[in-house]
Amino acid sequence: MAHARCDQSPVWAELRAHFERSGQALDLREAFAADVARFESWSLQAPEVFADLSKNLIDGTTLALLLQLARDCGVEAQREAMFSGAIVNSTEGRAVLHTALRAPAGEGPFSDEVQEALDRMLAFAEGVRDAAASGIRDIVHIGIGGSDLGPAMVVGALQSASDTYCQPAQRLHFVSNVDGHDLASVLPGLDPHKTLFVIASKTFTTQETLANALAARAWFLQQGGQDIARHFVATSSNVQAAAQFGISTTFGFWDWVGGRYSLWSVIGLPIAIAIGARNFRALLAGAHAMDQHFREQPLARNLPVLLGLLDVWYRNFHGFSSRCIAPYHQGLKRLPAYLQQLEMESNGKGVDGEGQALPYGSSPVIWGEPGTNGQHAFFQMLHQGTDVIPVEFIAVRQPEHGSHVTGELADLLHQQHRMLLANCLAQSQALMQGKTVEQALQEKAPAAASHLGALTLARHRSFPGNRPSTTLLLERLTPRALGALIALYEHRVFVSGALWGINSFDQWGVELGKALCKALLPRLDSGDTAGLDGSTAGLMNWLRRS
Ligand code: F6P
């Protein structure tokens, strides 16, 4: 389906002119001073997620133009095409229907198949969770990319509340790297008779996953394990390949579920084992609530649309090439890694749907760490570095530290949560507010640096400010809220991809390295460097030296 690419819309030139005229000079401090209602105008409550966009470098004119751009690029039609099951992933000839996985029974495409697969997976998960009956104490999940990051991130997030959603009696381990240190670090202490291995691979051809699965099977047999059928299951759309591997229980899914959008499918099995069927359904329901918001709300009050438009504004007009994700919740420590795949594998493309080179930047670099840890590492650069990097703060109002936290400890940890929230607010405030040289001059300078002179020191101690950020707030980190948050990001990536004219659902960029690795592997054994470039040959010789 051909849609206008963002630069083909007449609004593109208008946006450029607006940027040069006033957009680039927007000063957040002045904007707040001029408009007492700026926070109210630029914040909104979406399902489970409250968003404050007011500290972004945007005004009414920018928004009006960006909304027109979205209409010109057919964002609404493209959204409907995705939800209704059209072949929107053109280079792989596939529909893109992860939203169908979280639609209530009877709604959405393929509902019967979806519900049947979900019921079967959840029944199995409940059986495993019954530790007394299943005898399973450890679950080792082996997968990579979309078959790892989503499940690992969600389990980590919901386990952070200890026993609120997860049962601590069972331990979940995630192994992804082909580096044997990953698996080797997990195996000690496992009892093969009490361990379930879940081999997760959509294609069941992924080198890393198959290598780890083979090694896990070897360990299992070496340790006296016998019943492979009971201790190894697979989640895959390639049921045949899983069977060839010797796995008799495979939870299958469909090619219209992209790898990085697959945590809602049977790839979510470890999540279901960790949090149980009821909570897994709540995760799906939260995502569905965000799907409805995205599908039904007018563009101007549609959070994924607004975030996607901001992404284009920052990337293509301000020229910001990265975005920092700062979750102020330890449970969300893997969120930046998860979002790296979601966003950079989806929109890190250089050609449009017709294969034409993009004349503008696409996906920014996505990176981050949880607050407050990041504050003591890279926030220096965010505040005073030469690059402007929009920051996304994510915080949760009510903590859940688990039922073992009582008495004085509970009070202390609650107090720490207030510190966490105060830090979160302070960082976005500092980024925006900055500190002038004059203000710095009025502060008491450290005596140890007095030889530098007051003005020099004040320059070191000043902050430019006017650095943009978005703050997303959740009431609690529940399965439902997490589902909504993830779906928000999925749709925001869809919106920016639609504007850039990108196919956000393929990933050809990972193929070349895979093919070259396949060719190099036997050469690493044989030492044959014939025809290799000098660097690769030199590195190979160094690695092979005796
Ligand atoms: O890195 C490429 C990729 O294909 C991802 O898109 C995918 O999530 C990952 O590999 C794992 O693929 P599979 O689930 O088929 O093992």
Side-chain angles (χ1 to χ4, degrees):
M1 207 178 314
H3 296 281
R5 216 174 58 184
C6 53
D7 62 326
Q8 292 159 350
S9 155
V11 177
W12 195 249
E14 285 183 55
L15 272 163
R16 172 71 48 211
H18 164 65
F19 176 76
E20 275 156 19
R21 205 170 39 240
S22 62
Q24 63 185 330
L26 188 140
D27 188 292
L28 288 168
R29 296 151 295 197
E30 288 169 14
F32 273 98
D35 178 6
V36 285
R38 184 171 170 90
F39 172 75
E40 284 72 25
S41 316
W42 291 96
S43 58
L44 80 151
Q45 178 70 58
E48 303 289 335
V49 184
F50 177 81
D52 173 21
L53 308 181
S54 65
K55 291 199 197 86
N56 281 293
L57 302 170
I58 188 164
D59 61 14
T61 308
T62 316
L63 179 62
L65 291 170
L66 287 170
L67 289 170
Q68 188 53 44
L69 183 68
R71 286 184 210 101
D72 288 359
C73 294
V75 166
E76 288 148 305
Q78 294 195 57
R79 178 184 62 188
E80 271 325 288
M82 176 178 72
F83 273 95
S84 60
I87 306 292
V88 295
N89 176 356
S90 58
T91 60
E92 295 183 311
R94 291 175 183 166
V96 173
L97 277 172
H98 46 280
T99 51
L101 300 170
R102 53 232 192 178
E107 289 180 27
F110 304 111
S111 184
D112 291 349
E113 291 166 57
V114 166
Q115 293 305 318
E116 199 186 308
L118 176 64
D119 290 346
R120 179 167 172 251
M121 186 270 276
L122 291 180
F124 180 82
E126 284 297 334
V128 174
R129 272 168 73 77
D130 185 348
S134 69
I136 296 297
R137 193 187 59 195
D138 290 275
I139 297 99
V140 180
H141 186 265
I142 296 178
I144 197 165
S147 297
D148 167 72
L149 289 162
M153 184 273 286
V154 171
V155 169
L158 297 174
Q159 257 177 352
S160 64
S162 179
D163 53 1
T164 309
Y165 305 108
C166 300
Q167 41 186 21
Q170 288 177 322
R171 297 180 299 188
L172 272 128
H173 314 269
F174 289 88
V175 174
S176 54
N177 202 332
V178 77
D179 180 352
H181 294 100
D182 199 0
L183 181 65
S185 68
V186 163
L187 295 175
L190 299 189
D191 176 344
H193 307 289
K194 297 181 181 168
T195 301
L196 174 72
F197 290 92
V198 179
I199 314 301
S201 175
K202 179 179 170 185
T203 55
F204 223 85
T205 58
T206 304
Q207 183 198 53
E208 292 91 332
T209 302
L210 295 188
N212 277 319
L214 271 175
R217 187 170 65 182
W219 171 87
F220 179 78
L221 296 172
Q222 201 180 52
Q223 298 293 311
Q226 279 152 359
D227 196 352
I228 290 201
R230 207 171 88 79
H231 290 273
F232 282 76
V233 299
T235 51
S236 181
S237 61
N238 190 350
V239 180
Q240 216 178 357
Q244 272 159 15
F245 182 86
I247 293 181
S248 49
T249 304
T250 296
F251 298 90
F253 64 108
W254 312 274
D255 69 357
W256 42 259
V257 180
R260 52 194 174 274
Y261 300 87
S262 64
L263 72 91
W264 323 99
S265 73
V266 297
I267 291 289
L269 175 61
I271 305 173
I273 294 173
I275 67 177
R278 197 171 53 89
N279 285 320
F280 192 85
R281 288 188 190 278
L283 182 82
L284 297 181
H288 178 66
M290 190 58 78
D291 293 343
Q292 284 178 299
H293 170 88
F294 177 49
R295 203 172 182 182
E296 291 162 13
Q297 286 303 304
L299 298 183
R301 299 298 292 167
N302 191 311
L303 189 52
V305 170
L306 293 173
L307 291 175
L309 290 173
L310 260 178
D311 291 339
V312 170
W313 176 239
Y314 282 158
R315 183 78 180 99
N316 303 125
F317 295 91
H318 282 277
F320 303 153
S321 58
S322 93
R323 194 169 83 246
C324 175
I325 308 291
Y328 274 65
H329 193 297
Q330 190 60 18
L332 295 174
K333 63 177 185 293
R334 294 289 287 157
L335 184 68
Y338 167 78
L339 293 178
Q340 278 175 341
Q341 189 202 14
L342 177 64
E343 199 147 341
M344 293 161 78
E345 199 171 86
S346 296
N347 286 345
K349 314 278 166 69
V351 297
D352 67 13
E354 310 299 317
Q356 299 299 320
L358 298 179
Y360 42 74
S362 57
S363 173
V365 176
I366 302 299
W367 60 284
E369 273 290 313
T372 56
N373 295 1
Q375 290 174 209
H376 298 273
F378 54 79
F379 268 62
Q380 162 65 40
M381 182 214 181
L382 297 179
H383 288 293
Q384 288 188 314
T386 49
D387 289 282
V388 175
I389 299 173
V391 185
E392 223 143 83
F393 294 94
I394 302 163
V396 177
R397 197 167 85 92
Q398 292 192 48
E400 278 168 287
H401 298 119
S403 63
H404 63 290
V405 174
T406 55
E408 190 193 351
L409 177 62
D411 293 343
L412 289 169
L413 295 189
H414 259 86
Q415 177 59 16
Q416 285 183 220
H417 191 70
R418 290 179 52 215
M419 291 179 199
L420 178 74
L421 295 181
N423 269 285
C424 179
L425 295 182
Q427 289 302 319
S428 68
Q429 192 184 22
L431 284 166
M432 173 176 76
Q433 214 168 272
K435 188 196 284 181
T436 62
V437 173
E438 291 69 37
Q439 286 169 326
L441 266 174
Q442 285 172 15
E443 291 174 353
K444 191 169 161 354
S450 56
H451 60 285
L452 279 181
L455 184 59
T456 304
L457 201 51
R459 286 189 181 129
H460 282 279
R461 289 159 59 89
S462 69
F463 294 66
N466 202 34
R467 301 213 155 174
S469 67
T470 295
T471 301
L472 303 177
L473 300 177
L474 310 182
E475 178 66 26
R476 290 168 57 206
L477 188 57
T478 60
R480 185 180 165 88
L482 186 57
L485 182 70
I486 299 168
L488 168 64
Y489 276 97
E490 287 178 346
H491 295 320
R492 168 231 202 116
V493 169
F494 175 87
V495 170
S496 51
L499 290 160
W500 284 323
I502 281 172
N503 176 2
S504 301
F505 301 103
D506 60 12
Q507 54 284 318
W508 298 108
V510 301
E511 295 304 327
L512 178 59
K514 284 186 194 173
L516 293 181
C517 173
K518 213 169 165 185
L520 282 178
L521 188 56
R523 286 169 173 253
L524 205 49
D525 291 332
S526 68
D528 172 14
T529 57
L532 290 181
D533 64 88
S535 168
T536 308
L539 292 169
M540 193 183 271
N541 287 336
W542 192 93
L543 288 167
R544 293 190 78 257
R545 79 195 190 286
S546 44

